[in-house]
């Protein structure tokens, strides 16, 4: 298990390359109500992966970057695999699996939104945004 920090730490002048995955939609069962546990709901994710892409730029080889297609398959599988009562827990599990997937990822910013809910109100989505930094070894 990769150790991760609960907050992002950046010094002034620091920069990091980013890989973006926006609008990834998955049907899954997460929630605390009986209905949410039975019926699939749509979840939408925006993910920012902070990592150095210098080697990938120099070599133009897929093994020096994050292969987004395979990562998205892992994310979908993770979200469908085990239901959680809270999307906060689901988001944390996704981040842990993303860190396990690739050692070049230093920071993950993940927004996980439910576009459907049992809340009786007119809204686009409810969600959480977690930012986690890989602990140095």
């Amino acid at each position: 298990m990769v150790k991760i920090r609960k907050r992002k730490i950046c010094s002034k002048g620091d920069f990091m390359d980013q890989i973006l995955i926006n609008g990834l939609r998955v049907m899954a069962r997460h929630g605390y109500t009986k209905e949410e546990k039975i019926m699939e709901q749509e979840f939408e994710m925006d993910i920012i992966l902070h990592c150095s892409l210098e080697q990938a730029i120099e070599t133009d080889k897929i093994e020096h970057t994050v292969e987004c297609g395979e990562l998205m398959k892992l994310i979908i599988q993770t979200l469908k695999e085990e239901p959680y009562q809270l999307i906060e827990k689901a988001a944390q599990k996704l981040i842990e699996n993303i860190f396990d997937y690739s050692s070049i990822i230093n920071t993950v910013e993940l927004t996980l939104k439910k576009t459907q809910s049992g809340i009786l109100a007119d809204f686009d989505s409810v969600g959480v945004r977690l930012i986690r930094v890989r602990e140095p070894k």
Side-chain angles (χ1 to χ4, degrees), residues 16-68:
M16 186 64 58
D17 302 319
Q18 298 177 352
I19 295 174
L20 310 173
I21 300 173
N22 293 312
L24 178 60
R25 287 174 290 284
V26 180
M27 297 299 289
R29 292 179 181 93
H30 298 282
Y32 65 89
T33 68
K34 181 180 170 184
E35 294 79 18
E36 289 174 314
K37 292 176 182 181
I38 295 169
M39 295 182 59
E40 284 193 334
Q41 305 147 73
E42 183 181 69
F43 291 84
E44 185 174 321
M45 287 163 276
D46 294 321
I47 304 164
I48 302 173
L49 309 173
H50 296 255
C51 51
S52 174
L53 297 174
E54 290 179 24
Q55 193 173 12
I57 292 165
E58 288 175 19
T59 65
D60 195 29
K61 295 190 183 217
I62 193 77
E63 59 264 19
H64 296 141
T65 190
V66 176
E67 207 288 285
C68 290

